[in-house]
Structure formats: C-alpha cells, structure tokens
Coordinates of all heavy atoms in Angstrom, one line a residue:
M179 N 107.3 237.3 99.6 CA 106.3 237.7 100.5 C 104.9 237.5 99.9 O 104.0 237.3 100.6 CB 106.5 239.1 101.0 CG 107.9 239.4 101.6 SD 107.9 238.5 103.2 CE 109.7 238.1 103.2
C180 N 104.8 237.9 98.6 CA 103.5 238.0 98.0 C 103.3 237.1 96.8 O 102.2 236.9 96.3 CB 103.2 239.4 97.7 SG 104.2 240.1 96.4
G181 N 104.3 236.5 96.3 CA 104.2 235.5 95.2 C 104.3 236.2 93.9 O 104.2 235.6 92.8
I182 N 104.5 237.6 93.8 CA 104.7 238.2 92.5 C 106.0 237.7 91.9 O 107.0 237.7 92.5 CB 104.7 239.7 92.6 CG1 103.3 240.3 93.0 CG2 105.2 240.4 91.4 CD1 103.3 241.7 93.3
K183 N 106.0 237.3 90.6 CA 107.1 236.8 89.9 C 107.5 237.6 88.7 O 108.3 237.2 87.8 CB 106.9 235.3 89.5 CG 106.7 234.5 90.8 CD 106.5 233.0 90.4 CE 106.3 232.3 91.7 NZ 106.0 230.9 91.4
L184 N 106.9 238.8 88.5 CA 107.2 239.7 87.4 C 108.6 240.4 87.6 O 108.7 241.2 88.5 CB 106.2 240.7 87.1 CG 104.8 240.1 86.8 CD1 103.7 241.2 86.9 CD2 104.8 239.5 85.5
K185 N 109.6 240.0 86.8 CA 110.9 240.6 87.1 C 110.9 242.1 87.0 O 111.7 242.7 87.7 CB 111.9 240.0 86.0 CG 112.2 238.5 86.1 CD 113.1 238.1 85.0 CE 113.2 236.6 85.1 NZ 114.1 236.0 84.1
E186 N 110.0 242.6 86.3 CA 110.0 244.1 86.1 C 109.7 244.9 87.4 O 110.0 246.0 87.6 CB 109.0 244.6 85.1 CG 109.3 244.1 83.7 CD 108.9 242.6 83.4 OE1 108.2 242.0 84.2 OE2 109.2 242.1 82.3
V187 N 109.0 244.2 88.4 CA 108.7 244.8 89.7 C 109.4 244.2 90.9 O 109.1 244.5 92.0 CB 107.2 244.8 89.9 CG1 106.4 245.6 88.8 CG2 106.6 243.4 90.0
L188 N 110.4 243.4 90.6 CA 111.1 242.8 91.7 C 112.5 243.5 92.0 O 113.1 244.0 91.1 CB 111.4 241.3 91.4 CG 110.2 240.4 91.3 CD1 110.6 239.0 90.9 CD2 109.4 240.4 92.5
D189 N 112.8 243.5 93.3 CA 114.0 244.2 93.8 C 114.9 243.2 94.6 O 114.3 242.3 95.2 CB 113.7 245.3 94.7 CG 113.0 246.5 94.1 OD1 113.1 246.7 92.9 OD2 112.4 247.3 94.9
A190 N 116.1 243.5 94.5 CA 117.0 242.8 95.4 C 117.2 243.6 96.7 O 117.6 244.7 96.7 CB 118.4 242.6 94.8
A191 N 116.6 243.1 97.8 CA 116.6 243.9 99.0 C 117.6 243.4 100.0 O 117.7 242.2 100.2 CB 115.2 243.9 99.6
H192 N 118.3 244.3 100.7 CA 119.2 243.9 101.8 C 118.3 243.7 103.0 O 117.4 244.5 103.3 CB 120.2 245.1 102.1 CG 121.2 245.3 101.1 ND1 121.1 246.2 100.1 CD2 122.4 244.7 101.0 CE1 122.2 246.1 99.4 NE2 123.0 245.2 99.9
I193 N 118.6 242.6 103.7 CA 117.9 242.4 105.0 C 118.5 243.3 106.1 O 117.8 244.0 106.7 CB 118.0 240.8 105.4 CG1 117.4 240.0 104.3 CG2 117.4 240.6 106.8 CD1 117.8 238.5 104.5
R194 N 119.8 243.2 106.2 CA 120.5 244.1 107.1 C 121.1 245.2 106.2 O 121.9 244.9 105.3 CB 121.5 243.5 107.9 CG 122.3 244.4 108.8 CD 123.4 243.8 109.6 NE 122.6 243.0 110.6 CZ 123.2 242.3 111.6 NH1 124.5 242.2 111.5 NH2 122.5 241.6 112.4
P195 N 120.6 246.5 106.4 CA 121.1 247.5 105.5 C 122.6 247.7 105.6 O 123.3 247.4 106.6 CB 120.5 248.8 106.0 CG 119.3 248.3 106.8 CD 119.6 246.9 107.4
K196 N 123.2 248.1 104.5 CA 124.7 248.3 104.5 C 125.1 249.3 105.6 O 126.2 249.2 106.1 CB 125.1 248.8 103.1 CG 125.0 247.6 102.1 CD 125.5 247.9 100.7 CE 127.0 247.8 100.8 NZ 127.7 247.9 99.5
E197 N 124.2 250.3 105.8 CA 124.5 251.3 106.8 C 124.6 250.7 108.2 O 125.1 251.3 109.1 CB 123.4 252.4 106.8 CG 123.3 253.2 105.5 CD 122.4 252.4 104.5 OE1 121.4 251.8 104.9 OE2 122.8 252.4 103.4
K198 N 124.0 249.5 108.4 CA 124.0 248.8 109.7 C 124.9 247.6 109.7 O 124.5 246.5 110.2 CB 122.6 248.5 110.2 CG 121.8 249.8 110.5 CD 120.4 249.5 111.0 CE 119.7 250.8 111.3 NZ 118.3 250.4 111.8
R199 N 126.0 247.7 108.9 CA 127.0 246.7 108.8 C 126.5 245.5 108.0 O 127.0 244.4 108.1 CB 127.5 246.2 110.1 CG 128.2 247.3 110.9 CD 128.7 246.9 112.2 NE 128.4 245.7 112.7 CZ 129.2 244.9 113.5 NH1 130.4 245.3 113.8 NH2 128.8 243.8 113.9
G200 N 125.5 245.6 107.1 CA 125.1 244.6 106.2 C 126.0 244.5 105.0 O 126.8 245.5 104.8
S201 N 125.9 243.4 104.3 CA 126.9 243.2 103.1 C 126.1 243.0 101.9 O 124.9 242.9 101.9 CB 127.8 242.0 103.5 OG 127.0 240.9 103.3
D202 N 126.8 242.9 100.8 CA 126.2 242.5 99.5 C 126.2 241.0 99.3 O 125.9 240.6 98.3 CB 127.0 243.2 98.3 CG 126.7 244.7 98.3 OD1 125.5 245.1 98.7 OD2 127.5 245.5 97.8
D203 N 126.5 240.3 100.3 CA 126.5 238.8 100.2 C 125.0 238.4 100.0 O 124.1 238.9 100.6 CB 127.0 238.2 101.6 CG 127.0 236.7 101.6 OD1 126.1 236.0 101.2 OD2 128.1 236.2 102.0
P204 N 124.8 237.5 99.0 CA 123.4 237.1 98.7 C 122.7 236.6 99.9 O 121.4 236.6 99.9 CB 123.7 235.9 97.7 CG 125.0 236.2 97.1 CD 125.8 236.8 98.2
R205 N 123.4 236.0 100.9 CA 122.7 235.5 102.1 C 122.1 236.7 103.0 O 121.4 236.4 103.9 CB 123.6 234.7 103.0 CG 124.0 233.4 102.1 CD 125.1 232.7 102.9 NE 126.3 233.5 103.0 CZ 127.3 233.2 103.8 NH1 127.3 232.1 104.5 NH2 128.3 234.0 103.9
N206 N 122.5 237.9 102.6 CA 121.9 239.1 103.2 C 120.8 239.8 102.4 O 120.5 240.9 102.5 CB 123.0 240.1 103.6 CG 122.5 241.4 104.3 OD1 121.6 241.2 105.2 ND2 122.9 242.5 103.9
G207 N 120.2 239.0 101.6 CA 119.2 239.6 100.6 C 118.0 238.7 100.4 O 118.0 237.6 100.7
L208 N 117.0 239.4 99.9 CA 115.7 238.7 99.6 C 115.3 239.4 98.3 O 115.5 240.6 98.1 CB 114.6 239.0 100.7 CG 114.8 238.3 101.9 CD1 113.7 238.8 102.9 CD2 114.6 236.8 101.8
V209 N 114.6 238.6 97.5 CA 114.0 239.2 96.2 C 112.5 239.5 96.7 O 111.8 238.7 97.1 CB 114.0 238.2 95.1 CG1 113.2 238.8 93.9 CG2 115.4 237.9 94.7
L210 N 112.2 240.8 96.6 CA 110.9 241.3 97.0 C 110.3 242.2 95.9 O 111.1 242.8 95.2 CB 111.0 242.1 98.3 CG 111.6 241.5 99.5 CD1 111.8 242.5 100.6 CD2 110.7 240.4 100.0
C211 N 109.0 242.3 95.9 CA 108.4 243.2 95.0 C 108.7 244.6 95.6 O 109.1 244.7 96.8 CB 106.9 243.0 94.9 SG 105.9 243.5 96.3
A212 N 108.6 245.6 94.8 CA 109.0 247.0 95.2 C 108.2 247.4 96.5 O 108.8 248.0 97.3 CB 108.8 247.9 94.0
S213 N 107.0 247.1 96.6 CA 106.1 247.5 97.7 C 106.6 246.8 99.0 O 106.7 247.5 100.0 CB 104.7 247.1 97.5 OG 104.1 247.9 96.5
H214 N 106.9 245.5 98.9 CA 107.4 244.8 100.1 C 108.9 245.2 100.5 O 109.2 245.2 101.6 CB 107.2 243.3 100.0 CG 105.8 243.0 100.0 ND1 105.2 242.2 99.1 CD2 104.8 243.3 101.0 CE1 103.9 242.1 99.5 NE2 103.6 242.7 100.5
H215 N 109.6 245.6 99.5 CA 111.0 246.1 99.7 C 110.8 247.4 100.6 O 111.6 247.6 101.6 CB 111.7 246.4 98.4 CG 113.2 246.8 98.6 ND1 114.0 246.9 97.5 CD2 113.9 247.0 99.7 CE1 115.2 247.3 97.9 NE2 115.1 247.4 99.3
R216 N 110.0 248.3 100.2 CA 109.8 249.5 100.9 C 109.3 249.3 102.3 O 109.7 249.9 103.3 CB 108.8 250.5 100.2 CG 109.5 251.1 99.0 CD 108.5 252.2 98.4 NE 109.2 252.8 97.2 CZ 108.6 253.7 96.5 NH1 107.4 254.1 96.8 NH2 109.2 254.2 95.5
A217 N 108.3 248.4 102.4 CA 107.8 248.0 103.7 C 108.8 247.4 104.6 O 108.9 247.8 105.9 CB 106.6 247.0 103.6
L218 N 109.7 246.6 104.1 CA 110.8 246.1 104.9 C 111.7 247.2 105.4 O 112.1 247.3 106.6 CB 111.6 245.0 104.2 CG 112.8 244.4 104.8 CD1 112.4 243.6 106.0 CD2 113.7 243.6 103.8
D219 N 112.1 248.0 104.4 CA 113.0 249.2 104.8 C 112.4 250.1 105.8 O 113.1 250.7 106.6 CB 113.4 249.9 103.5 CG 114.4 249.2 102.7 OD1 114.9 248.1 103.1 OD2 114.6 249.6 101.5
A220 N 111.1 250.2 105.8 CA 110.4 251.1 106.7 C 110.1 250.5 108.1 O 109.6 251.1 109.0 CB 109.0 251.6 106.1
G221 N 110.6 249.2 108.3 CA 110.4 248.5 109.5 C 108.9 248.0 109.8 O 108.6 247.8 110.9
L222 N 108.1 247.9 108.7 CA 106.7 247.5 108.9 C 106.6 245.9 109.1 O 105.6 245.5 109.7 CB 105.9 247.9 107.7 CG 105.8 249.4 107.4 CD1 104.9 249.7 106.2 CD2 105.2 250.1 108.7
F223 N 107.7 245.3 108.7 CA 107.8 243.9 109.1 C 109.2 243.5 109.2 O 110.1 244.2 108.7 CB 107.0 243.0 108.1 CG 107.7 242.8 106.8 CD1 108.5 241.8 106.5 CD2 107.4 243.7 105.7 CE1 109.1 241.6 105.3 CE2 108.0 243.5 104.5 CZ 108.8 242.5 104.2
G224 N 109.5 242.4 109.8 CA 110.8 241.8 110.0 C 110.8 240.3 110.0 O 109.7 239.7 109.9
I225 N 111.9 239.7 110.2 CA 112.0 238.3 110.1 C 112.7 237.8 111.4 O 113.8 238.2 111.7 CB 112.8 237.7 108.9 CG1 112.0 238.2 107.6 CG2 112.9 236.2 108.8 CD1 112.9 238.6 106.5
E226 N 112.1 236.9 112.1 CA 112.6 236.3 113.3 C 113.8 235.4 113.0 O 113.6 234.4 112.3 CB 111.5 235.5 114.1 CG 112.0 234.8 115.3 CD 112.6 235.7 116.4 OE1 112.0 236.8 116.5 OE2 113.6 235.3 116.9
P227 N 114.9 235.7 113.5 CA 116.2 234.9 113.2 C 116.1 233.4 113.5 O 116.6 232.6 112.8 CB 117.3 235.6 114.0 CG 116.8 236.9 114.3 CD 115.3 236.9 114.4
D228 N 115.5 233.1 114.7 CA 115.4 231.7 115.1 C 114.5 230.8 114.3 O 114.6 229.6 114.2 CB 115.1 231.6 116.6 CG 116.2 232.2 117.5 OD1 117.4 232.1 117.1 OD2 115.9 232.8 118.5
T229 N 113.3 231.5 113.8 CA 112.3 230.6 113.2 C 112.1 231.0 111.7 O 111.4 230.3 111.1 CB 111.0 230.8 113.9 OG1 110.6 232.3 113.8 CG2 111.1 230.5 115.3
S230 N 112.7 232.1 111.2 CA 112.5 232.6 109.9 C 111.0 233.0 109.7 O 110.5 233.1 108.6 CB 112.9 231.7 108.8 OG 114.3 231.5 108.9
K231 N 110.3 233.2 110.8 CA 108.9 233.7 110.7 C 108.8 235.2 110.5 O 109.7 235.9 111.0 CB 108.1 233.3 111.9 CG 108.0 231.9 112.2 CD 106.9 231.2 111.4 CE 106.8 229.8 111.7 NZ 106.0 229.0 110.9
I232 N 107.8 235.7 109.7 CA 107.7 237.1 109.5 C 106.9 237.6 110.6 O 105.9 237.0 111.1 CB 106.9 237.3 108.2 CG1 107.7 236.8 107.0 CG2 106.6 238.8 108.0 CD1 107.0 236.7 105.7
H233 N 107.3 238.8 111.2 CA 106.6 239.4 112.2 C 106.3 240.8 111.8 O 107.0 241.5 111.0 CB 107.3 239.3 113.6 CG 108.7 239.9 113.7 ND1 108.9 241.2 114.0 CD2 109.9 239.4 113.4 CE1 110.2 241.5 113.9 NE2 110.9 240.4 113.5
F234 N 105.3 241.5 112.4 CA 104.9 242.8 112.1 C 105.0 243.8 113.2 O 104.9 243.4 114.3 CB 103.4 242.7 111.6 CG 103.3 241.8 110.4 CD1 103.0 240.4 110.6 CD2 103.6 242.2 109.1 CE1 102.8 239.6 109.5 CE2 103.5 241.3 108.0 CZ 103.2 240.0 108.2
N235 N 105.3 245.0 112.9 CA 105.4 246.1 113.8 C 103.9 246.2 114.5 O 103.0 246.3 113.8 CB 105.7 247.4 113.1 CG 105.9 248.5 114.0 OD1 105.3 248.6 115.1 ND2 106.8 249.4 113.6
P236 N 103.9 246.1 115.8 CA 102.6 246.1 116.5 C 101.9 247.5 116.3 O 100.6 247.5 116.4 CB 102.9 245.9 118.0 CG 104.4 245.9 118.1 CD 105.0 245.9 116.7
N237 N 102.6 248.5 115.9 CA 101.9 249.8 115.8 C 101.7 250.1 114.2 O 101.3 251.1 113.9 CB 102.8 250.9 116.3 CG 103.0 250.8 117.8 OD1 102.0 250.4 118.5 ND2 104.2 251.0 118.3
G238 N 101.9 249.0 113.4 CA 101.8 249.2 112.0 C 100.7 248.3 111.4 O 100.0 247.7 112.1
P239 N 100.8 248.3 110.1 CA 99.7 247.5 109.4 C 100.0 246.0 109.6 O 101.1 245.5 109.9 CB 99.9 247.8 107.9 CG 101.3 248.4 107.8 CD 101.7 249.0 109.2
S240 N 99.0 245.2 109.4 CA 99.1 243.7 109.6 C 99.6 243.1 108.3 O 99.7 243.8 107.3 CB 97.7 243.2 109.9 OG 96.9 243.3 108.7
G241 N 99.8 241.8 108.3 CA 100.3 241.1 107.2 C 99.2 241.1 106.1 O 99.4 241.3 104.9
A242 N 97.9 241.1 106.5 CA 96.8 241.2 105.5 C 96.8 242.6 104.9 O 96.6 242.7 103.7 CB 95.5 240.9 106.2
D243 N 97.0 243.6 105.7 CA 97.0 245.0 105.2 C 98.1 245.1 104.1 O 98.0 245.8 103.1 CB 97.2 246.0 106.3 CG 96.1 246.1 107.2 OD1 94.9 245.8 106.9 OD2 96.3 246.5 108.4
L244 N 99.3 244.5 104.4 CA 100.5 244.5 103.5 C 100.4 243.6 102.4 O 101.2 243.6 101.5 CB 101.7 244.3 104.3 CG 102.1 245.4 105.3 CD1 103.3 245.0 106.2 CD2 102.5 246.7 104.6
R245 N 99.3 242.7 102.4 CA 99.2 241.7 101.3 C 100.4 240.7 101.3 O 100.7 240.2 100.3 CB 99.0 242.3 100.0 CG 97.8 243.3 99.8 CD 96.6 242.6 99.5 NE 95.6 243.5 99.0 CZ 94.8 244.3 99.7 NH1 94.9 244.4 100.9 NH2 93.8 245.0 99.1
I246 N 100.9 240.4 102.5 CA 101.9 239.4 102.6 C 101.2 238.1 102.8 O 100.4 237.9 103.7 CB 102.9 239.7 103.8 CG1 103.7 240.9 103.5 CG2 103.8 238.5 104.1 CD1 104.6 241.4 104.5
T247 N 101.5 237.1 101.9 CA 100.9 235.9 101.8 C 101.6 234.7 102.5 O 101.1 233.6 102.7 CB 100.5 235.5 100.4 OG1 101.7 235.4 99.6 CG2 99.6 236.5 99.8
H248 N 102.9 234.9 102.9 CA 103.7 233.9 103.5 C 103.8 234.2 105.0 O 104.0 235.4 105.3 CB 105.0 233.7 102.8 CG 105.0 233.2 101.5 ND1 104.8 231.9 101.2 CD2 105.0 233.8 100.2 CE1 104.7 231.7 99.9 NE2 104.9 232.9 99.3
S249 N 103.9 233.2 105.8 CA 104.1 233.5 107.2 C 105.6 233.4 107.7 O 106.0 233.7 108.8 CB 103.3 232.4 108.1 OG 103.8 231.1 107.8
G250 N 106.4 232.9 106.8 CA 107.8 232.8 107.0 C 108.6 232.6 105.7 O 108.0 232.7 104.6
L251 N 109.8 232.3 105.8 CA 110.7 232.1 104.7 C 111.0 230.6 104.4 O 111.9 230.3 103.5 CB 112.1 232.8 104.9 CG 112.0 234.3 105.3 CD1 113.4 234.8 105.5 CD2 111.2 235.0 104.2
G252 N 110.3 229.7 105.0 CA 110.5 228.3 104.7 C 110.3 227.8 103.3 O 110.8 226.8 102.9
H253 N 109.5 228.6 102.5 CA 109.3 228.2 101.1 C 110.5 228.5 100.2 O 110.5 228.1 99.1 CB 108.1 229.0 100.6 CG 108.2 230.4 100.5 ND1 108.3 231.2 101.6 CD2 108.4 231.3 99.5 CE1 108.5 232.5 101.3 NE2 108.5 232.5 100.0
L254 N 111.4 229.3 100.7 CA 112.6 229.7 99.8 C 113.6 228.5 99.6 O 113.9 227.8 100.6 CB 113.3 230.9 100.4 CG 112.5 232.2 100.6 CD1 113.3 233.3 101.3 CD2 112.0 232.7 99.3
R255 N 114.2 228.4 98.4 CA 115.2 227.4 98.2 C 116.4 227.7 99.0 O 117.1 226.8 99.5 CB 115.4 227.2 96.7 CG 114.4 226.4 96.0 CD 114.8 226.2 94.5 NE 114.5 227.5 93.8 CZ 115.1 227.9 92.8 NH1 116.1 227.2 92.3 NH2 114.8 229.0 92.2
Q256 N 116.8 228.9 98.9 CA 118.0 229.4 99.7 C 117.6 230.3 100.8 O 117.0 231.3 100.6 CB 119.0 230.1 98.7 CG 119.5 229.1 97.7 CD 120.6 229.9 96.8 OE1 120.7 231.1 96.8 NE2 121.2 229.0 96.0
Q257 N 118.0 230.0 102.0 CA 117.6 230.7 103.2 C 118.7 231.8 103.4 O 119.9 231.6 103.2 CB 117.5 229.8 104.4 CG 116.4 228.8 104.3 CD 115.1 229.4 104.4 OE1 114.8 230.2 105.2 NE2 114.2 229.1 103.4
P258 N 118.2 232.9 103.9 CA 119.1 234.0 104.3 C 120.0 233.5 105.5 O 119.6 232.6 106.2 CB 118.3 235.1 104.7 CG 116.9 234.9 104.2 CD 116.8 233.4 104.1
H259 N 121.2 234.1 105.6 CA 122.1 233.7 106.7 C 121.5 234.3 108.0 O 120.9 235.3 108.1 CB 123.5 234.4 106.5 CG 124.5 233.8 107.4 ND1 124.6 234.2 108.8 CD2 125.4 232.8 107.2 CE1 125.6 233.5 109.3 NE2 126.0 232.7 108.4
R260 N 121.5 233.4 109.1 CA 120.9 233.8 110.3 C 121.4 235.2 110.8 O 120.7 236.0 111.4 CB 121.2 232.8 111.4 CG 120.5 233.0 112.7 CD 120.8 231.9 113.7 NE 120.0 232.0 114.9 CZ 120.2 233.0 115.8 NH1 121.1 233.9 115.7 NH2 119.3 233.0 116.9
D261 N 122.7 235.5 110.6 CA 123.2 236.7 111.1 C 122.6 238.0 110.4 O 122.7 239.0 110.9 CB 124.8 236.8 110.9 CG 125.5 235.9 111.8 OD1 124.9 235.4 112.8 OD2 126.7 235.5 111.5
A262 N 122.2 237.8 109.1 CA 121.5 238.8 108.4 C 120.1 239.1 109.0 O 119.7 240.3 108.9 CB 121.4 238.5 106.9
L263 N 119.4 238.1 109.6 CA 118.2 238.3 110.1 C 118.2 239.0 111.4 O 117.3 239.7 111.8 CB 117.4 236.9 110.2 CG 117.3 236.1 108.9 CD1 116.7 234.8 109.2 CD2 116.4 236.8 108.0

C-alpha cells in the first residue's frame, strides 16, 4: 500500500478475517506495514474484487490521509484470490 519494505514493520494481514471464514492460505493475505494492517482491519479501506482497486470508507479518511500510494493491487507479483477480496 505504501511501499515500506522494512521487514521489522511489516505484517502478514488476512484480507478476509478468520472469524469471517477466512483462511491462512497465502492468497487470503497481503504484506502490509503495521499502520495499513490496522487500517484494513478497521474497515478504513478495502479492495474491489472485480478490479483489485483500493476503495475507501466514504465516512473515513482518504487514501492521501492514510498515506496509501497505490490505487490497486496490480503491482503485486502474486494476486490475492478473488474470493478473499
């Protein structure tokens, strides 16, 4: 989301939480910095399944406010499974 590559501040984040029938399959995950992991878990942004575009909660902060620099997941070598999105 932001381009941070320091392993010390990166998390493995579930796209679909395990509590909502998500799995530990790597296709249900994203590597995010700790701040963006929390923002995803808080519902401040999500990912459109059909386009892999990042969308933001209309009542929440913008992408600029969250310092998200990508508009979608197209830059990733391995894409999450559509069912996880």
Side-chain angles (χ1 to χ4, degrees):
M179 299 296 145
C180 62
I182 290 177
K183 296 179 182 178
L184 298 170
K185 292 179 185 178
E186 295 82 5
V187 298
L188 296 177
D189 292 341
H192 288 94
I193 298 169
R194 178 177 290 178
K196 292 185 78 171
E197 302 81 39
K198 294 185 179 178
R199 299 180 351 146
S201 72
D202 285 331
D203 185 308
R205 297 172 298 168
N206 183 39
L208 289 173
V209 176
L210 300 173
C211 74
S213 294
H214 288 128
H215 186 175
R216 285 187 182 180
L218 177 67
D219 287 351
L222 298 179
F223 73 92
I225 301 146
E226 174 60 40
D228 293 328
T229 63
S230 295
K231 298 279 184 192
I232 298 168
H233 60 90
F234 301 93
N235 183 327
N237 299 318
S240 68
D243 293 334
L244 292 170
R245 306 269 199 281
I246 291 178
T247 58
H248 293 282
S249 61
L251 304 180
H253 66 286
L254 299 177
R255 282 185 281 150
Q256 294 184 349
Q257 295 293 310
H259 194 278
R260 186 181 189 286
D261 291 343
L263 301 174

